[in-house]
């Protein structure tokens, strides 16, 4: 994969400033609205301001708009055609909007079918409602959604008008809004007033459970042990009462450790640790001043406790409860040396980023009595609080039985310690590897099966939807079990391999998981997920024999759903340890038996569809021979290292195993960015330019004068500002802008000390946290940092309209990224994408995986780059791909001159990112006809059979 678009500078070219990329656009199947908004026909409107500055406002062409409006929900009444129409609502006003979009994408991917249609809606931060196309749901960020709503969505004048539309156009609503408005009863109350069926808990119960302070009072009332807490509300002084509270809980008023969190902001937004009364008040006031919430809960820090979370599924009928808790997950924080104790909590960053700061264990490493007590308590709490369909309940296991309560009459005391429930999540996260899917897969539910079971359970409460419960199981009966190497006839076998050694291995896990899940939708495929384990210290030597001895794990369904490759490996080792495997099997059977007590009474339940099998450990050599024997095609999703430098490709070719992506020679060339430039150096006459590069070893940086190296580099590359990046890594890892010798010294020190990250603003130009390669890269590439004119998002234009772009257009160069696909010598360029950055030069890990920033323009607006220049650009991209010998699919990062269409190549990525919101999916969606993720990945797989011999 490689990359982060670097920002180098041409020696004799104007100064540029780069932006970044992802995408989106589509206009299929929007529900009919009660009105039609007029639209401007121009693609993009320019408005001159102060000489060269321009305001750009996006508009969708009328033809595209008409196509969107023509694809509407059928006019038949509920139940008229036997197809259940589900209204999926995402977004919302909370800081968890980005996670809501990820959840909605995942739900959409896994529930659609011939018997069930999904129609998508979005609520923005101001509670404005929009109908959106399903394609738009693949936009990466909330900013991207909000920016394009005027052009790609159909808006409602009020929430009342929105619910009127829902009442006549969908059968049931599935809210996937996390935090405020989604879990606090807001959306539920709207739906209740309009008599619209919906999935999940009613509004009154949501309100009580969502507010952490009110929920604590309710839990006490219902007989549960709770964590001692204190409520700070508004800006009044709380010092006297808080000091008394510290004293009553035997906490030192100056150093006592507590957790400070908003009462109504989801499970992890704004959660922090404080020490003493003054620090507690300061951090509480910070939460209030930031507008997160005006109610703040202070809780005793449960020292020595072990955190867990449990999904509860209600398998009852109609209004009869039968809640069953799945196997809980233990949340283990891993403080890797550079984290302070004050940071040692399960916060938003650790929950949603693919880093090694947290690990999950399902089932938890607790005794059986503790696990069973957690399950019993979570199910009881679900029932007593009147929750419905599903929920996630968080808590702590405390080995010290007297840490929070000595009252033996309250629920929570068991022989091994105390169990305390702390947070109730009414709409649990539904990202592909979320707790919901991790725990459901442990007890036999695939993604599709658990989501459809939740919907079907909700349908059973509404007499108007009862007929659907006999129809929907048809989808579930076709689900396949996963794991092992079976020999089914007439089935094409696919091995998806991901992981590896580089710092991109966590992104590789996300890519591979996404590919695996999407390809499972095809009945003629049997898809096996496979992890290439990180090398051990003894495996780091070069050589074919050593490479072939690398470990590959063939994974069962449930073990794929992890955040890091290390966590997957640990889960595999746990699963193959006899005692642990026996315990998991016993607990799994107990949960399944509890579930069947309710599910046996449901006509819609078609059975579990995930088998319980052990992972299979093989050497890479054995794995390749296995692929040959079962005639499998290998889908390569290993970013960097042997997955992208031609090594894996050569080994597969030697055994005659087909695989996706370019061949060994092309992969080797593109992995070496200097070789890439040399291979393209003769194309200048065709409008293809390359960037000068200089390669340095880590040893040179550590042993020679940094000042001398800086002078040599800036003179050789003829640039005062440089971009540095690892030679074999990418995805923003280790990529930095260096403006002076001091910056290079900071970077070299980070390499020498093996830092996992460079703290924000450590360099002379403002920047975020820079995640560093682990282990540190041995070779580094230096390039001129190319500065292009910024394309900036501004909140208000001169005429008062919102969401417009400002672009000075002086240099006439912009940064693009573009996917290419096809056969060797006949590669096709997808539409390039321009990303409008809101800040910074290089995307951070947060920006990639935590909701992100940026507005994605795909295809680039005609007022930035003319259609003629864009066509010349795409032709040159195809020339680049064919010259490099690419085939299958790849991604090319470059700068383009908006007038001439000349292309300045940054790099070619032969195993590009394939995550749920990858640029390639966005670009595939603007093809004619559009390719949705499942069709896109199938197309890439099918191209492997057309590879050159």
């Amino acid at each position: 994969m490689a990359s982060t678009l670097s920002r180098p500078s041409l020696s004799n070219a104007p100064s540029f400033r780069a932006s970044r990329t992802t995408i989106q656009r589509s206009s299929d199947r929007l529900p009919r609205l009660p009105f039609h908004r007029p639209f401007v026909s121009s693609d993009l409107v320019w408005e001159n301001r102060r000489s060269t500055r321009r305001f750009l406002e996006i508009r969708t062409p009328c033809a595209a708009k008409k196509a969107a409006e023509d694809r509407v929900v059928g006019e038949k009444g509920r139940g008229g055609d036997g197809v259940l129409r589900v209204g999926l609502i995402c977004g919302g006003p909370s800081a968890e909007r980005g996670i809501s979009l990820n959840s909605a994408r995942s739900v959409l991917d896994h529930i659609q079918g011939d018997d069930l249609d999904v129609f998508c809606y979005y609520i923005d931060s101001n509670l404005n409602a929009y109908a959106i196309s399903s394609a738009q749901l693949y936009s990466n960020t909330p900013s991207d959604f909000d920016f394009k709503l005027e052009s790609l969505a159909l808006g409602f004048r009020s929430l009342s008008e929105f619910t009127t539309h829902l009442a006549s156009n969908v059968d049931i609503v599935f809210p996937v809004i996390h935090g405020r408005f989604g879990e606090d009863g807001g959306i539920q109350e709207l739906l209740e007033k309009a008599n619209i069926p919906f999935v999940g808990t009613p509004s009154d119960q949501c309100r009580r459970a969502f507010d952490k302070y009110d929920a604590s009072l309710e839990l006490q009332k219902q007989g549960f042990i709770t964590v001692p807490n204190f409520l700070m509300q508004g800006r009044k002084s709380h010092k006297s009462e808080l000091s008394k509270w510290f004293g009553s809980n035997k906490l030192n008023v100056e150093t006592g450790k507590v957790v400070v969190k908003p009462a109504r902001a989801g499970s992890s937004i704004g959660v922090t640790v404080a020490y003493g009364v003054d620090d507690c008040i300061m951090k509480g006031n910070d939460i209030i001043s930031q507008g997160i919430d005006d109610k703040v809960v202070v809780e005793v820090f449960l020292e020595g406790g072990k955190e867990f979370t449990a999904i509860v599924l209600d398998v009852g009928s109609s209004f009869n409860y039968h809640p069953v808790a799945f196997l809980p997950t233990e949340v283990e924080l891993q403080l890797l040396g550079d984290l302070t104790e004050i940071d040692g909590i399960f916060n938003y960053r650790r929950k949603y980023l693919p880093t090694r700061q947290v690990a999950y264990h399902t089932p938890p490493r607790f005794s059986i009595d503790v696990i069973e007590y957690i399950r019993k308590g979570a199910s009881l709490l679900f029932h007593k609080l009147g929750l419905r369909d599903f929920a996630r309940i968080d808590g702590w296991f405390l080995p010290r039985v007297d840490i929070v309560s000595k009252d033996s009459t309250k629920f929570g005391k068991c022989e091994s310690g105390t169990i305390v429930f702390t947070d109730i999540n009414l709409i649990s996260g539904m990202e592909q590897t979320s707790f919901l899917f991790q725990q459901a897969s442990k007890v036999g539910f695939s993604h599709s099966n658990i989501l459809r079971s939740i919907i079907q359970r909700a349908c059973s409460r509404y007499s108007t939807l009862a007929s659907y419960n006999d129809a929907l199981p048809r989808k579930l009966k076709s689900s396949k079990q996963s794991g092992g190497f079976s020999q089914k006839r007439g089935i094409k076998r696919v091995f998806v391999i991901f992981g590896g050694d580089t710092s991109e291995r966590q992104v590789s896990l996300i890519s591979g998981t996404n590919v695996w899940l999407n390809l499972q939708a095809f009945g003629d495929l049997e898809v096996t997920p496979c992890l290439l384990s990180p090398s051990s210290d003894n495996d780091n030597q070069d050589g074919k024999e050593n490479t072939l001895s690398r470990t590959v794990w063939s994974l069962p369904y449930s073990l794929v759903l992890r955040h890091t490759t290390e966590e997957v490996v640990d889960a595999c080792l746990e699963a193959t340890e006899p005692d642990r495997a026996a315990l998991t099997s016993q607990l799994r059977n107990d949960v399944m038996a509890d579930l069947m007590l309710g599910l046996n009474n449901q006509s819609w339940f078609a059975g579990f569809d995930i088998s319980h099998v052990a992972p299979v450990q093989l050497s890479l050599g054995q794995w390749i021979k296995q692929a040959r024997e079962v005639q499998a095609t290998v889908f390569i999703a290993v970013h960097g290292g042997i997955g992208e430098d031609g090594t894996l490709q050569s080994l597969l070719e030697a055994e005659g195993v087909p695989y996706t992506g370019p061949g060994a020679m092309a992969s080797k060339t593109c992995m070496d960015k200097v070789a890439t430039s040399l291979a393209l150096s003769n194309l200048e006459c065709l409008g293809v330019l390359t960037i000068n590069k200089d390669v340095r070893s880590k040893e040179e940086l550590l042993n020679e004068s940094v000042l001398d190296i800086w002078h040599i580099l800036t003179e050789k590359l003829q640039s005062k500002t440089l971009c540095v990046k690892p030679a074999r890594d990418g995805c923003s890892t280790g990529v930095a802008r260096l403006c002076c010798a001091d910056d290079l010294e900071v970077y070299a020190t980070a390499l020498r000390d093996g830092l996992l990250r460079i703290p924000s603003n450590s360099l002379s130009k403002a920047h975020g946290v820079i995640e560093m390669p682990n282990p540190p890269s041995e070779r580094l590439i230096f390039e001129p940092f190319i500065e292009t004119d910024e394309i900036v998002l501004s909140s208000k234009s001169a005429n008062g309209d919102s969401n417009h772009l400002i672009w000075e257009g002086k240099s006439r160069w912009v940064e693009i990224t573009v996917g290419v696909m096809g056969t060797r010598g006949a590669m096709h360029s997808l539409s390039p994408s321009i990303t409008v950055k809101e800040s910074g030069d290089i995307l951070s890990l947060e920006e990639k995986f935590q909701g992100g920033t940026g507005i994605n323009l795909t295809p680039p607006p005609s007022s930035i780059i003319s259609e003629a220049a864009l066509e010349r650009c795409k032709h040159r991209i195809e020339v680049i791909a064919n010259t490099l010998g690419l085939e299958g699919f790849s991604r090319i990062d470059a700068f383009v001159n908006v007038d001439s269409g000349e292309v300045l190549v940054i790099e070619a990525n032969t195993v590009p990112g394939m995550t749920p919101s990858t640029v390639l999916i966005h670009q595939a969606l603007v093809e004619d006809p559009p390719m949705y993720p499942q069709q896109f990945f199938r197309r890439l797989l099918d191209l492997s059979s057309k590879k050159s011999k």
Side-chain angles (χ1 to χ4, degrees):
M1 165 187 188
S3 190
T4 270
L5 306 187
S6 61
R7 279 79 180 144
S9 160
L10 283 170
S11 22
N12 296 313
S15 192
F16 314 123
R17 158 86 120 272
S19 38
R20 203 33 174 151
T21 330
T22 7
I23 44 228
Q24 145 89 35
R25 182 189 191 148
S26 171
S27 56
D28 70 317
R29 213 168 99 187
L30 286 171
R32 188 183 303 283
L33 298 185
F35 68 93
H36 297 281
R37 174 189 291 159
F39 277 79
V40 179
S41 60
S42 60
D43 183 50
L44 207 121
V45 180
W46 286 43
E47 183 181 308
N48 289 324
R49 290 277 295 172
R50 298 177 186 172
S51 67
T52 59
R53 175 162 292 194
R54 298 173 172 94
F55 290 83
L56 314 176
E57 297 191 34
I58 302 301
R59 294 288 186 267
T60 298
C62 288
K65 187 63 186 176
K66 182 65 167 60
E69 293 180 341
D70 284 345
R71 296 179 64 88
V72 298
V73 176
E75 292 298 318
K76 299 179 182 179
R78 288 181 183 163
D81 55 6
V83 176
L84 184 69
R85 295 168 298 175
V86 178
L88 186 65
I89 305 179
C90 62
S94 84
E96 293 183 279
R97 278 195 306 151
I99 305 306
S100 171
L101 302 185
N102 293 342
S103 291
R105 270 195 296 268
S106 183
V107 173
L108 175 66
D109 284 343
H110 296 294
I111 67 174
Q112 285 200 113
D114 294 338
D115 55 348
L116 189 153
D117 276 346
V118 183
F119 299 97
C120 303
Y121 302 91
Y122 178 69
I123 306 290
D124 71 10
S125 56
N126 295 316
L127 297 185
N128 298 308
Y130 298 84
I132 61 173
S133 71
S134 53
Q136 190 179 350
L137 200 56
Y138 294 94
S139 284
N140 185 36
T141 70
S143 296
D144 203 23
F145 262 75
D146 295 344
F147 180 72
K148 294 175 181 174
L149 287 172
E150 288 293 327
S151 60
L152 295 180
L154 298 172
F156 298 88
R157 286 185 289 259
S158 66
L159 289 176
S160 175
E161 194 164 52
F162 175 47
T163 54
T164 298
H165 162 78
L166 291 174
S168 59
N169 286 282
V170 303
D171 300 307
I172 190 168
V173 166
F174 196 149
V176 190
I177 299 175
H178 304 310
R180 273 197 308 124
F181 194 67
E183 296 181 84
D184 63 2
I187 186 68
Q188 291 81 3
E189 185 175 6
L190 276 178
L191 297 171
E192 287 165 352
K193 288 181 177 178
N195 293 317
I196 299 171
F198 63 91
V199 172
T201 298
S203 60
D204 286 346
Q205 287 83 351
C206 280
R207 273 189 286 273
R208 286 198 297 270
F210 180 70
D211 186 305
K212 295 179 177 62
Y213 187 74
D214 290 348
S216 176
L217 296 178
E218 184 65 23
L219 285 174
Q220 288 183 39
K221 180 180 175 182
Q222 295 293 343
F224 289 86
I225 292 175
T226 58
V227 182
N229 60 22
F230 179 88
L231 178 65
M232 294 174 59
Q233 194 159 10
R235 294 186 174 275
K236 69 176 184 178
S237 174
H238 298 88
K239 187 166 185 176
S240 175
E241 294 114 327
L242 189 57
S243 297
K244 293 177 181 177
W245 179 84
F246 264 67
S248 65
N249 287 283
K250 300 179 181 179
L251 296 171
N252 187 294
V253 294
E254 295 182 353
T255 61
K257 189 175 180 181
V258 294
V259 175
V260 181
K261 57 187 178 182
R264 301 164 298 189
S267 61
S268 52
I269 295 292
V271 181
T272 187
V273 171
Y275 292 86
V277 171
D278 290 340
D279 189 35
C280 181
I281 291 174
M282 181 186 71
K283 288 179 176 173
N285 288 335
D286 283 346
I287 291 171
I288 295 170
S289 63
Q290 291 174 39
I292 298 174
D293 196 3
D294 61 358
K295 288 178 68 176
V296 175
V297 177
V298 181
E299 291 181 345
V300 172
F301 189 96
L302 300 178
E303 204 75 61
K306 298 181 179 181
E307 194 167 1
F308 66 82
T309 186
I311 298 292
V312 181
L313 178 71
D314 183 16
V315 292
S317 299
S318 186
F319 289 92
N320 297 318
Y321 284 96
H322 190 129
V324 176
F326 291 164
L327 294 180
T329 298
E330 176 191 354
V331 178
E332 179 192 15
L333 294 186
Q334 298 181 326
L335 308 183
L336 302 177
D338 63 334
L339 298 175
T340 60
E341 176 64 18
I342 200 169
D343 194 34
I345 56 173
F346 187 44
N347 57 20
Y348 189 74
R349 190 175 196 271
R350 291 196 178 95
K351 181 177 292 187
Y352 295 114
L353 285 184
T355 66
R356 295 183 63 191
Q357 297 180 19
V358 64
Y360 304 122
H361 305 274
T362 309
R365 298 166 301 175
F366 307 157
S367 62
I368 290 181
D369 70 307
V370 172
I371 294 172
E372 287 303 316
Y373 207 72
I374 289 171
R375 292 190 57 236
K376 177 182 176 182
S379 299
L380 181 64
L381 185 156
F382 186 100
H383 191 181
K384 283 183 173 291
L385 295 188
L387 311 187
R388 288 184 185 165
D389 301 333
F390 78 117
R392 194 186 88 232
I393 298 172
D394 304 335
W396 292 79
F397 165 57
L398 307 164
R400 288 173 53 197
V401 296
D402 61 343
I403 194 168
V404 291
S405 174
K406 295 182 179 179
D407 188 348
S408 60
T409 65
K410 288 186 175 293
F411 186 93
K413 298 286 187 181
C414 66
E415 290 184 7
S416 301
T418 304
I419 287 119
V420 184
F421 297 106
T422 56
D423 290 281
I424 301 160
N425 303 274
L426 288 312
I427 301 178
S428 177
M430 284 167 273
E431 296 178 294
Q432 288 183 340
T433 59
S434 66
F435 291 124
L436 172 65
F437 300 125
Q438 286 184 33
Q439 295 183 20
S441 65
K442 278 288 186 183
V443 294
F445 288 103
S446 66
H447 285 65
S448 176
N449 198 345
I450 186 63
L451 289 171
R452 282 171 163 254
S453 294
I454 289 168
I455 293 170
Q456 289 160 332
R457 172 63 183 97
C459 285
S460 73
R461 287 196 302 276
Y462 302 96
S463 59
T464 56
L465 302 180
S467 62
Y468 291 110
N469 279 343
D470 292 325
L472 289 179
R474 291 176 298 181
K475 174 74 174 180
L476 301 182
K477 291 176 182 176
S478 66
S479 297
K480 300 189 294 288
Q481 295 183 343
S482 177
F485 299 106
S486 67
Q487 298 282 344
K488 297 178 183 177
R489 292 184 179 180
I491 298 293
K492 182 177 181 179
R493 294 162 183 84
V494 181
F495 293 175
V496 180
I497 187 167
F498 44 86
D501 289 304
T502 74
S503 55
E504 293 181 271
R505 61 191 178 274
Q506 317 306 1
V507 183
S508 172
L509 174 60
I510 300 172
S511 290
T513 300
N514 190 44
V515 171
W516 162 63
L517 287 171
N518 275 282
L519 289 181
Q520 283 196 111
F522 296 94
D524 63 331
L525 300 180
E526 181 180 331
V527 189
T528 303
C530 306
L531 177 79
L532 175 65
S533 291
S535 300
S536 66
D537 292 338
N538 296 328
D539 292 337
N540 286 331
Q541 303 172 8
D542 294 329
K544 179 179 178 180
E545 291 302 319
N546 185 70
T547 300
L548 287 171
S549 68
R550 294 276 301 274
T551 297
V552 175
W553 290 93
S554 173
L555 303 170
Y557 198 113
S558 65
L559 295 192
V560 187
L561 306 179
R562 298 293 188 273
H563 286 75
T564 67
T565 56
E566 290 80 10
E567 195 181 332
V568 175
V569 172
D570 289 344
C572 288
L573 294 174
E574 277 191 3
T576 54
E577 196 278 316
D579 291 343
R580 177 71 175 176
L583 173 64
T584 300
S585 180
Q586 175 189 337
L587 293 170
R588 167 190 161 95
N589 290 336
D590 290 345
V591 175
M592 294 176 74
D594 290 346
L595 288 166
M596 290 308 299
L597 289 175
L599 292 173
N600 276 332
N601 300 319
Q602 315 302 339
S603 61
W604 48 261
F605 185 64
F608 299 107
D609 59 339
I610 299 299
S611 58
H612 183 48
V613 296
V616 178
Q617 183 178 8
L618 301 167
S619 69
L620 179 58
Q622 292 171 327
W623 179 80
I624 292 173
K625 291 184 185 300
Q626 180 75 68
R628 182 192 63 194
E629 290 171 8
V630 301
Q631 299 180 343
T633 297
V634 172
F635 199 118
I636 299 176
V638 177
H639 301 318
I642 71 168
E644 208 164 349
D645 66 3
T647 301
L648 182 56
Q649 290 81 357
S650 293
L651 295 173
L652 292 169
E653 288 173 7
E655 293 291 338
V657 177
Y659 59 88
T660 58
M665 288 303 297
S667 297
K668 183 177 181 180
T669 298
C670 293
M671 186 67 169
D672 185 334
K673 297 173 180 62
V674 175
T676 303
S677 292
L678 290 174
L680 301 174
S681 60
N682 63 339
L683 300 180
E684 186 172 350
C685 61
L686 299 178
V688 176
L689 311 176
T690 57
I691 301 171
N692 292 330
K693 295 176 173 60
D694 189 271
V695 181
R696 299 274 163 164
S697 69
K698 182 180 75 172
E699 293 305 313
E700 286 180 82
L701 291 180
L702 299 184
N703 297 323
E704 297 180 14
S705 165
V706 168
L707 185 60
D708 289 345
I709 292 175
W710 178 258
H711 288 317
I712 292 170
L713 288 172
T714 52
E715 183 175 346
K716 179 178 180 180
L717 298 175
Q718 298 183 13
S719 177
K720 295 181 179 180
T721 304
L722 303 179
C723 177
V724 59
K725 55 186 173 184
R728 293 171 62 88
D729 273 290
C731 193
S732 294
T733 306
V735 181
R737 179 180 182 178
L738 308 177
C739 298
C740 59
D742 288 343
D743 287 349
L744 181 58
E745 181 69 49
V746 170
Y747 194 89
T749 300
L751 289 175
R752 182 194 65 209
D753 296 343
L755 296 184
L756 298 178
R757 56 193 59 85
I758 298 176
S760 59
N761 300 323
S762 298
L763 306 177
S764 56
K765 190 176 188 303
H767 65 87
V769 174
I770 299 173
E771 300 285 337
M772 295 295 286
N774 181 30
S777 179
E778 294 300 320
R779 294 172 68 244
L780 300 157
I781 292 176
F782 292 88
E783 301 171 333
F785 184 96
I786 294 184
E787 293 199 43
T788 64
D789 294 323
E790 282 188 308
I791 303 174
V792 178
L793 172 66
S794 182
S795 59
K796 290 289 181 181
S797 66
N799 62 8
D801 290 338
S802 61
N803 294 333
H804 70 283
L805 302 174
I806 301 174
W807 180 53
E808 294 186 352
K810 292 181 179 179
S811 76
R812 316 305 293 162
W813 289 80
V814 295
E815 187 177 340
I816 61 169
T817 190
V818 55
V820 291
M821 58 192 303
T823 56
R824 188 186 302 181
M827 294 295 283
H828 165 67
S829 171
L830 301 177
S831 179
S833 299
I834 297 174
T835 289
V836 181
K837 285 282 291 161
E838 291 179 285
S839 63
D841 297 309
I842 295 169
L843 283 183
S844 68
L845 197 63
E846 282 86 353
E847 290 172 326
K848 286 176 179 293
F849 298 105
Q850 212 168 273
T853 63
I855 305 303
N856 307 307
L857 307 179
T858 308
S862 59
S863 296
I864 290 181
I865 179 171
S866 69
E867 291 185 13
L870 182 60
E871 286 305 310
R872 290 194 291 270
C873 167
K874 291 173 67 174
H875 172 70
R876 285 163 177 147
I877 290 293
E878 291 170 354
V879 169
I880 293 166
N882 292 329
T883 301
L884 292 172
L886 301 180
E887 56 188 319
F889 67 105
S890 295
R891 195 190 80 221
I892 295 172
D893 300 332
F895 297 95
V896 61
N897 185 288
V898 298
D899 300 315
S900 67
E902 288 180 297
V903 173
L904 170 62
V905 180
I906 299 173
E907 61 192 13
N909 304 278
T910 56
V911 184
M914 291 168 278
T915 60
S917 58
T918 177
V919 64
L920 294 180
I921 288 179
H922 299 156
Q923 293 177 3
L925 285 167
V926 301
E927 288 289 286
D928 187 17
M931 287 184 285
Y932 279 80
Q934 290 176 0
Q935 290 73 35
F936 175 65
F937 289 122
R938 181 60 189 259
R939 174 77 182 279
L940 301 185
L941 177 68
D942 291 344
L943 282 170
S944 64
S945 64
K946 301 177 182 179
K947 289 175 67 70
S948 301
K949 302 297 182 184

